[in-house]
Amino acid sequence: MNSEIRLPGLILSGENSAMRLSALLPAAGPILIVSTRSHAEWARHTFLNEPRKGLLLTGFQPELPLADADRVLAEGRRLGAKSVVAVGGGSVMDLGKTVAALLPLEGTTADYFYNRRSIPGKGVFFAALPTTAGTGAEMTSNAVLRDPETGVKQSLRHPAMMADVAVSDPCLTWGCPPKLTAASGFDALTQAVESVLSNRATACTRALAGAAVHMLLTALPGAMRDEHPARAMAAEGSMMTGMAFAQSGLGAVHGLAHPLGSLLHVPHGVCCAILLPAILRHNRACLGLLPGGDRPDAFIARIEELRRELGLPDSFRSFGLNAAHYPFILRHCRSGSMKCNPIPLADEEILRILENLA
């Protein structure tokens, strides 16, 4: 199989590695920072110290809507920003990635989201600092966006959207609320599992993702308790997962999670937690590729036990999933992620899975 490896220009990892970023930012031009509220003052103090000029914006919705991207894009263009730094979870990093790509261009985010315009190449300098472990968005060249008016959730992507600098500093995850830790951690774990099983996986991506599966299964309960060694292991596992799936793609969990999350407003990591055991049962013939997957039933049971331990739901019942939603899900689930699933799913099989989880 022919393959290529695309990674950020520089990856910094380990405790306090974020403190090295300021010296790496371009000297010329203002800096635009997008941040979660919880890290806004840290970001302001770290990156907007004199003589550096810039603007910090916060207060963004999860499941990033196009309107948030347009608002920040307008502010960045007015500022004349020459670099973008994103400090936050996956939605904030996807926001920063989008704005960095589109700043030098004309048009709205929707123009590029719906392919009315195309991204020609590199935008401005972009640095990504995740505060969860995590979505792996700091390692990818796509940004997941949502149009609330149509319900469509999909990726804006271009190889030049890869971060110039990606930072995996576990200190930024300290104090992350337990529910967010659980959801983002299950997203990372699902990505690691799907990267191992992907039909585009290589020996390199399987080595990274397989190690990440073991690390995340081990670390997530302690990370929920804010144990710092577990936080560090989870952050490293999430980083390795991102490095892997950026090359290999994902699978049916993510193919289904995007329309389900958009339609029912289910947090992405919660979607992953609900779907993963069902998709693993469909893919059970391939589970021997996973660490501990030589006993498929035992591996699936371990995933379900971790889901219970982290307090995540096992169905979409409380979110109101019903048969009226199925046509939309079927229409929008055939993404690149679904195409990477090792064993294809027919519409009838997807409907059976949805019915069992409704």
Side-chain angles (χ1 to χ4, degrees), residues 9 16 28 41 52 58 77 86 91 100 109 138 163 172 175 191 204 227 262 277 290 296 311 317 344 354:
N16 297 309
E41 285 310 309
R52 191 184 301 279
T58 188
R77 286 171 175 165
S91 291
T109 308
E138 73 278 11
L172 296 179
Q191 289 170 159
C204 177
E227 296 170 6
S262 177
L290 290 160
R317 209 162 296 120
L354 294 175

Side-chain angles (χ1 to χ4, degrees), residues 215-238:
M215 294 168 76
L216 291 162
L217 283 171
T218 302
L220 287 180
M224 278 273 289
R225 298 188 290 270
D226 209 29
E227 296 170 6
H228 291 182
R231 288 278 193 200
M233 182 182 287
E236 186 173 12
S238 176

Side-chain angles (χ1 to χ4, degrees), residues 7 92 239:
L7 293 172
V92 171
M239 176 186 73

Side-chain angles (χ1 to χ4, degrees), residues 43-207:
R44 189 188 309 278
H45 174 76
T46 302
F47 301 117
L48 291 183
N49 48 342
E50 291 292 341
R52 191 184 301 279
K53 302 298 181 183
L55 176 67
L56 184 144
L57 298 174
T58 188
F60 312 110
Q61 297 181 50
E63 305 286 318
L64 183 66
L66 298 182
D68 272 11
D70 277 339
R71 172 170 67 91
V72 176
L73 188 57
E75 292 285 356
R77 286 171 175 165
R78 193 158 33 244
L79 178 68
K82 299 301 182 187
S83 55
V84 176
V85 173
V87 184
S91 291
V92 171
M93 286 188 288
D94 284 345
L95 171 61
K97 208 180 301 184
T98 299
V99 171
L102 302 187
L103 269 175
L105 307 177
E106 296 181 347
T108 66
T109 308
D111 289 334
Y112 298 89
F113 183 77
Y114 287 115
N115 298 311
R116 296 193 291 263
R117 295 174 182 258
S118 59
I119 297 172
K122 178 65 179 170
V124 304
F125 180 97
F126 173 59
L129 295 86
T131 60
T132 64
T135 65
E138 73 278 11
M139 295 291 168
T140 67
S141 59
N142 70 291
V144 180
L145 307 172
R146 179 174 60 89
D147 184 348
E149 292 186 8
T150 62
V152 173
K153 180 179 177 181
Q154 62 188 17
S155 284
L156 186 68
R157 62 177 73 242
H158 190 281
M161 289 173 67
M162 193 74 75
D164 294 279
V165 181
V167 181
S168 177
D169 186 340
C171 299
L172 296 179
T173 71
W174 292 356
C176 182
K179 286 185 178 179
L180 181 55
T181 298
S184 60
F186 230 97
D187 183 16
L189 175 60
T190 301
Q191 289 170 159
V193 169
E194 292 204 296
S195 183
V196 172
L197 301 180
S198 168
N199 57 30
R200 286 176 44 204
T202 65
C204 177
T205 60
R206 281 200 173 111

